[in-house]
Amino acid sequence: MEYTVQKLGKLAGISTRTLRYYDEIDILKPARKNSSGYRIYGKTEVDKLQQILFYRELGLELDHIKKIVNDPAFDGSAALKMHREQLLQRRQQLDLLITNVEKTISAAEGKSQMADNEKFEGFKQKLIEDNEKQYGDEIREKYGDKTIDASNAKMMNMSEERFAEFTRLGEELQKTLAEAFKTGAPESELAQKAADLHKQWLAFTWPTYSKEAHAGLAQMYVDDERFTAYYDKDQPGTAVFLRDAIYIYTGFTR
């Protein structure tokens, strides 16, 4: 079956403007244009649009999606299986959060009791699963399953107070790092404070700390484009700056 822009937009639940934009940026071209100049989409384009919308739902940027779906080696069947796995993980996260809310309501109404650590289980589990989804393969390859599993368990067992401090420390780290970056000097007092805050932040989840592992993680921030994109999102070059500050902090030499 073939579709015009209007019909495909209605079928997919998106605007015709979006479809025209996808054509303009070469992420989804129509199969052809008819004699009247209207865009016509066939089964291949419908399947591709479904993949694009799946990736959008999973939070990927359009530039990234474009590279994936336009890759000649793109495997639609394998991608669907991956989408299914990620959606199941998301459902598990939502189920955990719903259960958490239900327990909280029950406790608030005096029908049951809820330990403080239970109140944050859903949020901590989401942090772990988001991290696994984005970086799991790399960090497990680098540090091993045993270390990462221990780190995840340490996160899940955090008390309410420890989890609040972990969150606060992460925010302080980001703020200090942003200010230190403006100095342009990774050896500066402010940059070294950021490196120390980073060490303290890691201590909340790392089973044990070593300067070598700290320096290795800092290098991964530079080597892996996803880590780099996270640290460079506001100030390009921050990932390299943090790595250099941590190298100085740990006494690591390249």
Side-chain angles (χ1 to χ4, degrees), residues 96-132:
L96 189 58
L97 287 170
I98 290 169
T99 299
N100 191 278
V101 169
E102 289 173 344
K103 286 182 178 180
T104 304
I105 292 171
S106 178
E109 293 177 345
K111 298 177 181 178
S112 64
Q113 292 185 337
M114 187 177 190
D116 286 341
N117 66 305
E118 289 183 282
K119 297 174 183 177
F120 299 92
E121 284 181 353
F123 302 108
K124 290 185 285 188
Q125 184 66 34
K126 187 175 188 305
L127 282 175
I128 289 170
E129 291 181 0
D130 285 349
N131 190 60
E132 286 277 3

Side-chain angles (χ1 to χ4, degrees), residues 25 29 78 150 176 185 193 220 246:
I25 65 172
K29 307 292 290 184
T176 303
K193 179 183 178 182
M220 185 186 290
I246 291 172

Side-chain angles (χ1 to χ4, degrees), residues 184-219:
E187 72 280 4
S188 68
E189 182 178 347
L190 200 56
Q192 289 305 293
K193 179 183 178 182
D196 185 64
L197 286 169
H198 190 262
K199 175 189 174 182
Q200 294 178 48
W201 181 73
L202 290 175
F204 279 82
T205 55
W206 276 21
T208 57
Y209 172 84
S210 75
K211 291 182 177 181
E212 182 181 4
H214 194 182
L217 180 63
Q219 184 60 49

Side-chain angles (χ1 to χ4, degrees), residues 17 19-29 39:
R17 181 179 179 181
L19 283 171
R20 292 189 180 97
Y21 177 63
Y22 285 175
D23 183 6
E24 291 172 11
I25 65 172
D26 296 326
I27 191 172
L28 181 67
K29 307 292 290 184
R39 295 173 175 85

Side-chain angles (χ1 to χ4, degrees), residues 141-203:
E141 181 178 350
K142 186 173 182 65
Y143 298 106
D145 290 339
K146 185 177 179 180
T147 298
I148 300 306
D149 289 343
S151 175
N152 291 343
K154 193 172 180 181
M155 165 71 81
M156 287 302 297
N157 290 327
M158 275 188 201
S159 66
E160 176 185 358
E161 293 78 11
R162 290 280 292 172
F163 185 67
E165 178 61 14
F166 172 73
T167 303
R168 184 204 65 76
L169 193 61
E171 293 171 352
E172 183 182 356
L173 166 60
Q174 293 297 330
K175 182 178 179 180
T176 303
L177 179 59
E179 289 300 315
F181 181 78
K182 295 175 184 177
T183 70
E187 72 280 4
S188 68
E189 182 178 347
L190 200 56
Q192 289 305 293
K193 179 183 178 182
D196 185 64
L197 286 169
H198 190 262
K199 175 189 174 182
Q200 294 178 48
W201 181 73
L202 290 175

